[in-house]
Amino acid sequence: MSLSGCFRDSCRALWIVLASLALTACASLPQVPREPSRSVTDTDSTMLGGVSQRARTSAGLAPNDPRGMVHLLPQGKDAFLARATLAGLAERSIDAQYYIWHNDDTGQLLLAQLLKAADRGVRVRLLLDDIHTADLEPMLAALDAHPRIEVRLYNPFAHRSMRTLDYVTDLSRVNRRMHNKAFIADGQSAIVGGRNIGNEYFAATSDVAFGDLDAIAQGPVVRQLAEQFDLYWNSASAWPAIGLLPAPPAIALDTLRMLARGLATRDSVRVYLDALRGSEMARDMVAGRLTFEPALATLVYDDPAKTLGKGASGATRLLDRLTPLVADTREEMLLVSPYFVPRDRGTALLTSAQARGVRTTVLTNSLASNDVGAVHAGYSRQREALLAGGITLWEVKPSPGPRPAAQSIAKGSSNVSLHAKTFVFDRRKLFVGSFNLDPRSADINTELGVLFESPTLAARVADGVLNALPQAAWQVQRDAASGQISWVDQAHGGRRYDTEPETGFLRRLGVGLLKLLPIDAML
């Protein structure tokens, strides 16, 4: 074939592709009737209502005391057991809201728990951000067919089989995601924090371990969480799965039940379940022996209107609720954020706090432990200014090795990556939630967290993190004379690195190139 013929064929093929894209781009979200629903409220007589009341009585809280009860979950296996146990104890309702729910061992185990709950008459509402649901679609469709289960997908993709096209045709919408994480049982107990649903969050894989923190909450804040869930569930961005997913075959639910019953025979699941049997979490929760601390708890979250580009300030924006806490801090501040991109404004806020005498410590991922190079590029642009302003910076080691069995969110195993989003103010107030200190959490995604006022809990978390830092992280230092940055391994005699430890030249080069791009607003 001649060169001109090849050129004509190439042009023809290009036009076919472009025409196909144009036709496909016309896809739109189906108009499906949405029946509003509300959280179940009359649940004091349930088993979980009794568990909550016993915890309050044990702590000596009067009926009109505004404080609730809190139990921290720094360990992945306990965090899984807590969710599974709440699902097993629920009698009236389960509301689950997540950014990621993986189709892996722990994801399937928890879906099986939801199915079992629905089979015994519990109403289940499952609200998932649509960004990671592709491989779950058949399972979600089967669950949605259950008369006691309803599934909704948040800010769904119109192109179900070619989702990437939405980033071309509808970027301004699909770029905004629901990053909230909450698990609410009978309106009595709730789990909030940094964990999504998946093996890496629950210590069920040897490949990677996410250092993270959740909290079980009881009391008035659970009512606030339920109202938040209702707001998202009934929002314009939550779409019934029935209008988005292919109709499941008639035997789909029975097939799902059979698969759920067979989960325990899978080798990897059996090993994980055997490991769980060493924990007393489930037995203590049922018996009311789990140790809770009283705390005044306040829910802070973004209005779902943020997904539509609205509700960008004041009480409808989580960041605007947290920022005054920095200004009110007088002595000490600890910020733990896996993705830390403070930008100029955030850097100025933190260094001004340091300048007025607030000891400010930041723990974030190192380049070696960070799974998003662009985020590290955004952070490293501010690193020198933060150090010059007196901020103490620590970056997590990817393989910190053994350390004491302290209750610490900096703790992990091999191939560690920090995932907790936790802030401590003056060892009196503790924030636990989904909010990263980066532009995406601030301006693009929706987020959720709880502010606990408890000197006991706040000091426990602060001490746990600070004591673990020398073993778990490198301290980043700056030479005042030369401005040279180095990474110091305090656990190994103060060994000093002049380049980012445990990284190769090409990775550092790639991040260096990303630093030249104006992409901070998207991070």
Side-chain angles (χ1 to χ4, degrees):
M1 183 181 291
S2 67
L3 182 61
S4 60
C6 289
F7 178 75
R8 285 195 303 272
D9 285 350
S10 298
C11 289
R12 185 179 299 115
L14 179 60
W15 278 113
I16 291 172
V17 171
L18 291 175
S20 299
L21 287 175
L23 290 172
T24 312
C26 295
S28 59
L29 292 169
Q31 297 303 311
V32 182
R34 307 180 198 190
E35 292 295 328
S37 63
R38 300 291 172 186
S39 301
V40 177
T41 56
D42 185 18
T43 58
D44 288 348
S45 62
T46 62
M47 182 180 292
L48 284 174
V51 169
S52 178
Q53 186 54 51
R54 287 196 297 273
R56 292 180 64 84
T57 300
S58 178
L61 297 187
N64 61 346
D65 195 312
R67 290 177 295 173
M69 305 301 294
V70 188
H71 178 88
L72 298 180
L73 297 167
Q75 305 301 329
K77 290 184 175 66
D78 286 346
F80 173 86
L81 272 175
R83 288 166 171 83
T85 302
L86 288 183
L89 294 177
E91 299 171 36
R92 300 283 303 281
S93 67
I94 297 172
D95 292 331
Q97 175 183 17
Y98 283 95
Y99 173 62
I100 294 174
W101 195 301
H102 284 318
N103 187 16
D104 57 14
D105 290 345
T106 56
Q108 291 177 22
L109 284 168
L110 287 175
L111 285 179
Q113 286 293 99
L114 297 185
L115 179 57
K116 287 174 62 177
D119 281 345
R120 64 175 187 268
V122 177
R123 187 194 72 176
V124 177
R125 296 187 295 178
L126 180 59
L127 178 61
L128 299 181
D129 187 275
D130 193 38
I131 194 168
H132 293 292
T133 60
D135 64 344
L136 269 179
E137 285 191 355
M139 199 173 295
L140 294 177
L143 288 170
D144 192 59
H146 195 292
R148 299 295 295 168
I149 300 176
E150 185 177 357
V151 178
R152 293 191 178 182
L153 302 180
Y154 193 85
N155 202 20
F157 289 79
H159 301 89
R160 304 306 300 171
S161 60
M162 297 181 66
R163 297 185 180 202
T164 307
L165 284 177
D166 280 45
Y167 288 107
V168 177
T169 63
D170 201 7
L171 177 62
S172 62
R173 180 181 69 85
V174 299
N175 187 44
R176 296 178 176 272
R177 309 313 317 173
M178 182 191 73
H179 199 232
N180 309 36
K181 303 157 179 54
F183 192 98
I184 309 165
D186 279 346
Q188 293 289 334
S189 293
I191 299 175
V192 296
R195 288 184 178 93
N196 294 296
I197 306 299
N199 288 353
E200 63 267 40
Y201 303 98
F202 298 129
T205 175
S206 59
D207 296 333
V208 64
F210 281 149
D212 219 324
L213 182 67
D214 290 331
I216 308 175
Q218 300 171 346
V221 74
V222 181
R223 180 68 251 158
Q224 298 172 27
L225 276 160
E227 291 170 354
Q228 177 272 159
F229 184 93
D230 288 346
L231 184 63
Y232 275 80
W233 181 261
N234 296 308
S235 73
S237 297
W239 292 73
I242 193 171
L244 297 168
L245 306 182
I251 63 169
L253 258 180
D254 288 336
T255 302
L256 198 57
R257 291 188 182 100
M258 183 177 64
L259 291 173
R261 288 192 295 269
L263 275 175
T265 64
R266 188 187 301 168
D267 288 345
S268 57
V269 172
R270 188 173 62 252
V271 169
Y272 186 64
L273 293 178
D274 286 344
L276 293 179
R277 291 188 179 95
S279 171
E280 297 183 357
M281 166 68 69
R283 291 189 294 275
D284 287 348
M285 286 182 69
V286 174
R289 294 192 302 264
L290 201 63
T291 303
F292 282 82
E293 294 287 344
L296 186 63
T298 303
L299 180 68
V300 289
Y301 61 92
D302 288 310
D303 191 295
K306 186 179 180 183
T307 307
L308 305 175
K310 304 173 183 177
S313 63
T316 62
R317 188 169 182 253
L318 189 152
L319 179 61
D320 291 341
R321 301 285 299 278
L322 289 182
T323 301
L325 294 172
V326 178
D328 293 342
T329 302
R330 292 291 174 261
E331 296 180 0
E332 182 183 5
M333 182 163 51
L334 171 65
L335 305 175
V336 179
S337 181
Y339 302 146
F340 179 58
V341 186
R343 295 181 287 189
D344 292 345
R345 181 179 172 185
T347 297
L349 182 67
L350 296 182
T351 55
S352 65
Q354 180 74 29
R356 67 172 188 269
V358 178
R359 299 186 307 278
T360 303
T361 301
V362 174
L363 173 65
T364 190
N365 276 309
S366 63
L367 177 56
S369 66
N370 201 322
D371 59 348
V372 184
V375 168
H376 193 80
Y379 152 65
S380 61
R381 267 195 289 269
Q382 299 293 333
R383 189 161 47 195
E384 185 173 344
L386 290 163
L387 292 170
I391 307 299
T392 302
L393 284 182
W394 292 83
E395 297 180 5
V396 168
K397 302 173 184 176
S399 304
R403 66 175 67 82
Q407 192 176 51
S408 167
I409 59 177
K411 182 180 178 181
S413 60
S414 62
N415 299 319
V416 168
S417 181
L418 181 68
H419 196 260
K421 310 96 167 57
T422 302
F423 319 133
V424 182
F425 305 96
D426 279 337
R427 293 181 174 244
R428 297 188 60 82
K429 297 180 180 180
L430 168 69
F431 173 86
V432 178
S434 69
F435 184 84
N436 288 298
L437 290 169
D438 65 9
R440 178 160 289 277
S441 284
D443 302 326
I444 301 173
N445 292 346
T446 65
E447 305 287 352
L448 174 153
V450 177
L451 183 68
F452 298 106
E453 296 186 41
S454 166
T456 300
L457 291 177
R460 183 184 304 165
V461 170
D463 287 339
V465 173
L466 295 175
N467 291 338
L469 286 178
Q471 183 69 45
W474 294 294
Q475 184 175 6
V476 189
Q477 297 181 353
R478 175 180 177 272
D479 184 89
S482 66
Q484 178 68 35
I485 292 177
S486 58
W487 290 258
V488 180
D489 190 342
Q490 303 286 13
H492 292 84
R495 180 180 178 183
R496 190 173 297 270
Y497 299 86
D498 293 330
T499 58
E500 309 212 44
E502 298 188 31
T503 62
F505 170 76
L506 290 179
R507 181 157 173 77
R508 295 194 297 271
L509 176 63
V511 169
L513 293 175
L514 287 170
K515 288 172 65 174
L516 303 176
L517 302 177
I519 57 175
D520 277 12
M522 298 290 288
L523 301 178

